[in-house]
Structure formats: C-alpha cells, structure tokens
Amino acid sequence: MARPDQPGRDCPLCPRLVAFRQRQRGAHADWHNAPVPSFGSAEARLLIVGLAPGLQGANRTGRPFTGDWAGDLLYETLIGFGFARGTYDERPDDGLTLIDTRITNAVRCVPPENKPTTEEIATCRAFLTATIAAMPRLAAVVTLGKIGHDSAVRALGLKPARVPFSHGGVHALDAVTLFSSYHCSRYNTNTGVLTPQMFRDVFAAVRRHLDA
C-alpha cells in the first residue's frame, strides 16, 4: 500500500517508468523492480537526496545506492564520518546500518538511461516532500547532483534560483542547512569531476554542522 512518503510497488503515476519497470520484471524476475523506499530512520537529523535508482543498483537490490559504484563511495564516506556502521557489501542484507541518517531519491523508480523527465521528477516530488515532512528532527540535507538538489529545494518550498546548486555549496535555510555535492556516480569519479576527497569534504562539513 502506498504511503504519503512511499509509492506502492505498482505505482501507476509515470507511464514511461511503469513500462520500463514491466520490461525489467520480465527480464529479471528476481530483481526488486519497484519504487525504492528510503533507507534509514525518519528520526534522523541528516537526509541525503540522490537522483534515482540505478538499473543494476537499487532497482536490483531494493536499497538506495546498493549494488553499484555510487554506493561504494557513498557508504565508505558515511562510515568514515560516523553516519553508518558495519560493512557495505552491495547487498541489502549486508548488515550495514545508518546512524542519524536517511537516504532517499528524487525519483523512486529507475528511469531509462538514468534520465528521468522533468514531468517524472515533478510527479515524484510529492513523495520527497512527504519524506521531509515526516522527519521531525531534520537539520541537514545533502543533495547529490543538480536534479536531486533542485527537487529537494522545491520540496522544501523554495525556488532553485534562490538556492543554486554548486559542489560544496552550503545554504542555511529556515529549517535546515542544505549541503550540495556532485553526484557520486562512476561517470563523475572516472572523469575527475568528483574526487573521493571532494566528496569527503562535503560530509566533513555536515559532520561539523551537526556536532556544533
């Protein structure tokens, strides 16, 4: 059953994504192939907002950033700064737990070629807005990439033009502080757009903010 912060397994809202989901179910019956739920407690003070599930990552495993390169860098960094504990082993049953952190995506279903349309992003934003509203202790949001950033800004009731995306950007908003980073995708890391140190610097700033 759908909740305000989580679409149901057969969410019908985006026809293109529904069709893609059905094709993947036919090809990979043992994969998750459904909207991917948020990972972590709603009582967390930190929310990380990505773009969308990767085809062979979260769409396969059912946990955000699990099963692809982006998760390797993200979870290694979270463990390093005390936002997670355990061992990340690319499986939802690897025992990894988040500490004071929740992870979600701007779009909950895998899009073809990892590219959701503007309409799909807007349609799925209701779930992101509800996710934020369900976090009473929320103090910091990390956005990964411009699409996730802009959608999170809109979900917070603001206009992206007033809260522009930039790697390492920090915006003190009314209720939360927003930190932005390039997405931790394999493409960005392979091309040097994002280095592991650049990524760690963002979470070091978040750690200082929450510990202050």
Side-chain angles (χ1 to χ4, degrees):
M1 179 179 294
R3 306 194 316 249
D5 63 338
Q6 173 61 31
R9 177 171 175 79
D10 296 307
C11 179
L13 296 180
C14 301
R16 189 181 74 115
L17 301 189
V18 171
F20 190 61
R21 177 202 307 155
Q22 290 303 115
R23 290 199 297 274
Q24 297 309 314
R25 286 180 180 178
H28 307 285
D30 57 333
W31 288 12
H32 177 71
N33 288 322
V36 174
S38 303
F39 175 35
S41 172
E43 295 297 316
R45 291 183 298 159
L46 171 62
L47 177 66
I48 299 168
V49 181
L51 170 56
L55 177 61
Q56 298 186 53
N59 177 67
R60 175 174 61 85
T61 64
R63 190 177 75 180
F65 290 91
T66 299
D68 54 24
W69 164 250
D72 292 349
L73 179 56
L74 176 61
Y75 288 118
E76 174 188 346
T77 303
L78 294 180
I79 292 169
F81 286 97
F83 292 116
R85 70 166 63 93
T87 300
Y88 170 66
D89 197 24
E90 301 188 3
R91 308 188 324 272
D93 61 350
D94 55 15
L96 182 81
T97 57
L98 299 181
I99 301 171
D100 205 17
T101 302
R102 199 176 202 198
I103 304 174
T104 195
N105 279 307
V107 176
R108 301 297 177 89
C109 292
V110 60
E113 300 180 350
N114 290 324
K115 295 178 180 178
T117 66
T118 300
E119 182 178 4
E120 289 161 357
I121 296 165
T123 297
C124 211
R125 189 172 302 121
F127 300 107
L128 179 57
T129 301
T131 295
I132 292 171
M135 298 181 69
R137 301 178 64 241
L138 185 64
V141 176
V142 173
T143 58
L144 304 179
K146 188 176 188 303
I147 291 176
H149 176 88
D150 287 354
S151 197
V153 168
R154 292 186 186 278
L156 288 164
L158 301 169
K159 295 182 178 180
R162 294 187 56 191
V163 190
F165 173 80
S166 65
H167 178 80
V170 181
H171 300 274
L173 309 179
D174 289 341
V176 302
T177 298
L178 190 68
F179 299 81
S180 49
S181 171
Y182 292 134
H183 196 284
C184 49
S185 66
R186 180 183 291 273
Y187 176 83
N188 281 347
T189 54
N190 281 351
T191 58
V193 169
L194 178 70
T195 66
Q197 188 57 53
M198 289 168 63
F199 199 59
R200 286 192 290 267
D201 288 346
V202 171
F203 283 91
V206 176
R207 183 80 273 170
R208 289 193 297 270
H209 172 71
L210 292 178
D211 288 349

